[in-house]
Amino acid sequence: MATAALPDPPKLIDSHLHVWASPQQAAEKYPYFPGQEPTLPGHVEFLLECMGEAGMDGALIVQPINHKFDHSYVTSVLKQYPSKFFGCCLANPAEDGTGIKQLEDLVSKDGYRAVRFNPYLWPSGQLMTNEVGKAMFAKAGELGVPVGFMCMKGLDLHLSEIEELCTEFPSTVVLLDHLGFCKPPKNHEEELVFSKLLNLSRFPQVYVKFSALFRVSRCPYPYEDLRDVFLKVVSSYGANRIMWGSDFPYVVPECGYKEAREAVCRLIQQVQLSSSESEWIMGRTVYQILHSPCSSSS
């Protein structure tokens, strides 16, 4: 097998969640970005409690907007729990290009293993394919870290940018957060966008996060309407290019962390995936991507 050289990964890794400082920690050491104060608890102690209840072994922590480009809290968590967490930093698309050096430092000095592109942080009127965006995307490829795309306002708005970046920089791995925010299609227009999500599988560097099910389902827990969507995504990409993620702590008031894991396990059973396919989706895919030769040895 291609992965035989890798050590056995933890069985269950959450590919998408956030942590941020508690109000006390924010007041003392890790301030929130003005106007982005969280309304939910998201400190790491709460996360560890939830992960323990759900039997999760590890997770990829995505830098939250609550601290914006100040990565100090997430960095402290990564340093405290190096065998449990990977870090995904937030790309700073500042026009002066300072975000490129910041990305390099977060990866090489602080050990981040992925970077998130949020298109809504780009300067007004600018696309992720502008000079700075391309430079950061290329740098991510050089550093061996995948780029996650958050298409919260719709995959169709950013599809051409993603395709252009994938075409120009085929060595940069791509993660589509939350199924590209594609809900189960209800009309022809939505069918078209969903088919474009499936068609992105033609780029071998593209992976899909089957994450934040509460954001993409039209139904209450346990999100049964995602069964057909899930099956089609698995058929297009293969289980080894799909990874489950909770979107903690936002998932907690929606259905609960442990319940979120149970929802995806139920879907895996319903579409009759093999134990090997389940293993890829529940941890092996994200582990293999993040455990690249560029990662520092512990």
Side-chain angles (χ1 to χ4, degrees), residues 72-90:
S72 55
Y73 180 71
V74 171
T75 300
S76 74
V77 171
L78 298 177
K79 284 185 164 61
Q80 192 175 357
Y81 302 99
S83 63
K84 188 171 281 286
F85 297 123
F86 300 95
C88 174
C89 60
L90 181 61

Side-chain angles (χ1 to χ4, degrees), residues 71-140:
H71 289 71
S72 55
Y73 180 71
V74 171
T75 300
S76 74
V77 171
L78 298 177
K79 284 185 164 61
Q80 192 175 357
Y81 302 99
S83 63
K84 188 171 281 286
F85 297 123
F86 300 95
C88 174
C89 60
L90 181 61
N92 181 353
E95 291 183 273
D96 62 4
T98 51
I100 302 163
K101 178 68 164 65
Q102 188 179 31
L103 168 60
E104 197 161 9
D105 287 346
L106 286 165
V107 172
S108 60
K109 296 179 181 176
D110 295 321
Y112 282 78
R113 298 298 316 130
V115 56
R116 179 178 230 194
F117 275 31
N118 178 342
Y120 317 113
L121 294 177
W122 257 250
S124 180
Q126 297 282 309
L127 297 176
M128 293 184 290
T129 47
N130 67 0
E131 188 179 347
V132 167
K134 285 189 174 182
M136 282 197 295
F137 194 81
K139 177 59 70 177

Side-chain angles (χ1 to χ4, degrees), residues 19-32 38 40-45 64 66-67 73-74 77:
V19 292
W20 49 71
S22 68
Q24 184 180 340
Q25 291 170 319
E28 293 173 358
K29 193 173 183 180
Y30 303 110
Y32 304 129
L40 295 169
H43 50 282
V44 70
E45 293 79 13
N66 312 86
H67 293 292
Y73 180 71
V74 171
V77 171

Side-chain angles (χ1 to χ4, degrees), residues 32-40 66:
Y32 304 129
F33 189 80
Q36 297 288 355
E37 296 81 5
T39 56
L40 295 169
N66 312 86

Side-chain angles (χ1 to χ4, degrees), residues 283-296:
R284 190 174 283 274
T285 299
V286 66
Y287 181 86
Q288 180 172 276
I289 291 172
L290 300 179
H291 201 277
S292 75
C294 296
S295 63
S296 57

